[in-house]
Structures are given as structure tokens and as C-alpha cells.
Amino acid sequence: MKNKILLLLIISLSFIGSAHAQIRGAVPGELYFSCLWYIDFNNGQVHNGIFRSTDYGKTLNLQYEYIEQRTPDQMEPGMLYGDAQEGALYNYADNKLWRSFDYGISWEYLEEKVWVSYATGYDPGEIYRRTDYNLYRSIDYGSTYEIMSESLSEPLSDVGTQSGQIYGFTGCTGEGYYLYQSLDYGQSFSGYKVDSAIAYWSPSGHHPRISRGAAEGELYLISWTPDYHYHIYYSSDSGQSWTEHYESGYNDVFRWSYSFTAGREPGSFYVSKGAFNPDGDHIVIYIYHSRDCGKSFPETWFHDMDSTFVHVPETKMIDTEIVANPNPFSGHTTFSLSANQNYDKASINIYDLNGKKVAAIPCQGKESIDWNGSDRNGTRLPDGVYFYNLSNGKYSSLSNKLLIQK
């Protein structure tokens, strides 16, 4: 038991803020995830995986598995990069860069570099590498590189929506952030300071970051505020002006890791968050997809990724509005459904901030149901923030926030 607790503590400390890495694929609807997958306490092994979705995060399939007690030549999942060529991926971990041409199933070693950053290009086979003040460009999938600049002071963050366009984004709390742009493959950059009212805070290592869209000039800026809310800003002119499209509620940044990615079609944007399950032996991931440039996220998917996970059964998202009134509440609240659709074996499920289901209220055939704030054992839940939805395992409504208070 002591060894199990120690292993979990070590993994938990390294897991916070880095539960998963999310990237877009080469075609619309394609996503890849690199993450710590599950822990086998019986054998003392930690399993990592690379997963792929082709339907906007609705289902995930295991592409590659890695066990910590590995052979020396086995690749460790790390930071993924998606090429513009379908099926082509890169993985950087343990100071090594690897390449795949079969959607992440098999990998070949390319190079070993320390203190390096990469970004995949606008064109197929194009990848950039920055080491110290040197910027290199490859057009043959990282096999060979040509030096583009030997005095580069700007960072390397993302490429743009046209050939030769590269972005850099850097800064720190208190001093502000700067956006840089190159239109000549990184040979020269121009930049300006981003308004500190938009980007200036980094709670628990969650720094502001940018992600390019699919349309010309489309760029997203994800920024955090001291109240642990993230904001999604949108630009249609390569970052010269910004419009706020979304503000989240409170996020437990010490429990969950967050990842943000623009998709491969105009208006497509993803948010995902991952954390250990309550038992601490595997992770859970939520994926949210927007089709209106991050203004709303009607497509929400939950993945409970235990040791048996190889894919996620389809869950139909239903368009049923559930309202709790009053909300916040102290004694009782009433859940009202928009229509009595008589979903088979349906329940209103209550979840805490860790994603743990703490109550399930049967509601089949009912248009309203009263609840006194108790869990499955009849014990009053602690005051705080919860979420609720309607589900039976085969379908699910969107989640809504619920506040219990004295």
C-alpha cells in the first residue's frame, strides 16, 4: 500500500498541468491526444498512449501504447505536432524527435536536440526547428533542414494560414505579451505588444497561447484571468485586432490540465481538459467542440480512459434543456425538463468538480423532479459548485452548473 501511495504521489505531482496534449490532424474533425493513460499498481507500471479521433472528439481510438519500464529504443509519447499531410505526425519527448506516416501507429527516430522548439508548417512535409537563436526549416518531413535565421530572438509558436507565415508569442505576468509575425519563412519578424487587458496572467503555469485557424488571417488567443477563468479571443486579421468570443466559469487549474486547438475548418475550435479519476488509477478527458469560432460549445464528449480502453462507445447528444430552480439553492431545487420525451432509464446525474458522479436521480417519464441536495447514500452534499445533465449511458444532454450553498 505504501508503494502504491508513493507511486501515485509522484505521478500526481508530475501530472498536474500536463495531463494530456491535444493537436489537430490534417483533415476536419481529426484530433490527436498524447497522455498518461493508466497506472497498473499490481506491476508498478505506468502506461502512456497516443489516441486519435476522426469525429471531432466524439470517439477516440488507441494508436500507440508506451510503458514506463521500456526498452531503450521505444518512443515515449510527448509533445505531438500534426503535419499538413494526412497521416503524418511528429512526437518530441526525452529530447528526441520521431516521425510517423501512419496516423501515429508506428514511429521512426529522426534526431536528438535539447532546448529546442518545433512547429509544423502550412505545406505538407514542412517543419520548423528553433535552437538558441537559429531557425531551421525542413520541407522533407524533418529529414534535412535549411537555416533561415542565425539571429532569431522571437519565439516559435505556430504557423499561419498561408505559405511562409509564422507566429511567435511570448511574455510573462506583469510585463505583458508580444505577438510576432513573419511572412518570409522566419527570415524576418514584425511584432507588437498585446493589450494587457487581454493577455497577462498565468495561473499555475497555464500561460496565454495562440492557435491559428483555417481561414486566412484567422487566429485565436487563449488567455487566463486571476479568477481562474479562461477567455477565447478571435482575430480575423492575423492578430491586429481581437474580439472576445467566450469566457469560461471557474476552473480548478490545480486538478485539471487544459488544452486548446483550432480545427482544420473555418470556425472549428476545441477545448479539452484531463485529470485523474477519483481512484487515481486512470485519467478522464472532456472534449468540447465549437463550430462558431469559440462562441459556444454544443458538442461535448466525456472519455473515461481505464485500462480496457481502446475506443469510446458512441453517446448521442440530445437537445433537451434541463433547468434547476432555484439555482443557487440551500434546501431543495426542482429540475424541469423542456419536454417529456420519456427517455429509457434516464437519470439526472450530479457531478462534482473532479468529474465524479455523486448522485443519480431517476427521471424517466417525468417533466419535473425535486431534489434535496443529497448524494446516493442520502447524505447532504457539501456546499460548492456541481454540474448536472440528463443521461442513461447511450445519450447525454449538455452539462449545466449548479451551486449548493447554505
Side-chain angles (χ1 to χ4, degrees):
M1 177 59 71
K2 181 182 293 187
N3 291 336
K4 175 179 178 179
I5 295 174
L6 179 60
L7 177 61
L8 178 58
L9 176 61
I10 294 173
I11 294 171
S12 297
L13 291 175
S14 64
F15 182 83
I16 294 173
S18 59
H20 68 290
Q22 166 191 275
I23 65 160
R24 58 181 168 254
V27 296
E30 187 179 34
L31 280 177
Y32 290 89
F33 290 86
S34 169
C35 61
L36 187 156
W37 178 13
Y38 73 96
I39 307 167
D40 185 348
F41 288 113
N42 293 325
N43 298 317
Q45 294 179 335
V46 180
H47 295 245
N48 296 263
I50 294 175
F51 301 85
R52 176 179 179 235
S53 175
T54 59
D55 51 10
Y56 303 93
K58 180 179 180 180
T59 61
L60 294 177
N61 287 281
L62 177 64
Q63 304 294 101
Y64 176 85
E65 181 179 4
Y66 161 86
I67 302 174
E68 288 288 352
Q69 297 177 352
R70 66 191 188 280
T71 56
D73 59 348
Q74 186 183 3
M75 186 195 74
E76 176 182 359
M79 180 61 68
L80 295 177
Y81 302 90
D83 197 89
Q85 173 63 46
E86 186 174 357
L89 296 172
Y90 306 89
N91 177 75
Y92 180 70
D94 196 25
N95 299 325
K96 298 180 178 65
L97 183 69
W98 301 71
R99 176 178 65 190
S100 172
F101 287 115
D102 57 4
Y103 305 94
I105 297 174
S106 60
W107 295 85
E108 58 179 313
Y109 170 77
L110 286 176
E111 62 182 17
E112 182 171 359
K113 298 287 182 181
V114 297
W115 300 108
V116 63
S117 58
Y118 293 95
T120 44
Y122 173 79
D123 299 309
E126 184 182 38
I127 182 172
Y128 291 87
R129 179 184 71 200
R130 182 179 187 267
T131 57
D132 296 324
Y133 294 100
N134 298 325
L135 179 68
Y136 301 85
R137 175 176 177 248
S138 172
I139 58 174
D140 56 6
Y141 301 94
S143 296
T144 60
Y145 286 86
E146 175 187 4
I147 191 163
M148 307 304 295
S149 175
E150 296 181 285
S151 59
L152 183 69
S153 58
E154 292 78 9
L156 180 61
S157 297
D158 206 346
V159 299
T161 54
Q162 57 180 296
S163 187
Q165 186 178 41
I166 309 172
Y167 290 108
F169 188 68
T170 188
C172 61
T173 301
E175 298 182 5
Y177 284 78
Y178 291 82
L179 178 68
Y180 300 90
Q181 180 184 192
S182 173
L183 296 174
D184 56 8
Y185 302 96
Q187 298 178 76
S188 63
F189 281 82
S190 60
Y192 63 91
K193 187 174 183 179
V194 178
D195 189 340
S196 61
I198 295 177
Y200 75 102
W201 196 256
S202 305
S204 186
H206 291 76
H207 299 280
R209 56 152 300 179
I210 61 170
S211 181
R212 78 158 191 271
E216 183 176 353
E218 187 180 40
L219 194 65
Y220 295 86
L221 168 61
I222 302 92
S223 185
W224 292 82
T225 46
D227 55 3
Y228 303 109
H229 291 211
Y230 65 79
H231 300 248
I232 300 174
Y233 294 91
Y234 175 81
S235 175
S236 60
D237 54 13
S238 300
Q240 297 181 56
S241 60
W242 298 97
T243 301
E244 184 175 7
H245 275 192
Y246 185 83
E247 178 183 359
S248 75
Y250 169 80
N251 295 278
D252 186 355
V253 297
F254 300 97
R255 170 65 176 170
W256 296 86
S257 74
Y258 295 82
S259 188
F260 306 87
T261 308
R264 284 289 187 178
E265 55 191 333
S268 179
F269 192 85
Y270 301 89
V271 177
S272 64
K273 66 177 187 177
F276 273 118
N277 72 315
D279 292 332
D281 59 6
H282 66 272
I283 73 162
V284 296
I285 290 179
Y286 288 87
I287 303 172
Y288 309 90
H289 180 234
S290 172
R291 296 180 185 268
D292 56 7
C293 303
K295 294 180 181 179
S296 63
F297 293 85
E299 298 174 23
T300 303
W301 312 107
F302 173 73
H303 302 285
D304 190 13
M305 303 172 69
D306 62 15
S307 61
T308 63
F309 181 95
V310 291
H311 71 282
V312 175
E314 291 192 7
T315 301
K316 181 181 180 181
M317 300 300 290
I318 54 175
D319 186 19
T320 295
E321 183 180 8
I322 308 174
V323 177
N325 186 40
N327 185 12
F329 76 97
S330 57
H332 293 74
T333 189
T334 299
F335 294 103
S336 300
L337 281 64
S338 59
N340 181 11
Q341 295 174 304
N342 196 26
Y343 291 112
D344 181 47
K345 298 180 181 179
S347 295
I348 296 174
N349 300 305
I350 313 295
Y351 302 87
D352 64 17
L353 286 175
N354 294 326
K356 179 181 179 182
K357 185 190 295 186
V358 294
I361 311 163
C363 62
Q364 180 178 345
K366 299 179 180 179
E367 294 185 4
S368 65
I369 187 168
D370 189 57
W371 183 54
N372 63 1
S374 298
D375 64 14
R376 305 182 192 195
N377 300 319
T379 303
R380 171 79 176 189
L381 290 170
D383 296 347
V385 177
Y386 297 84
F387 294 90
Y388 65 93
N389 68 0
L390 176 73
S391 175
N392 79 339
K394 296 181 180 179
Y395 51 75
S396 176
S397 69
L398 297 179
S399 297
N400 299 287
K401 186 164 66 174
L402 182 67
L403 181 62
I404 301 177
Q405 63 183 24
K406 294 181 180 178

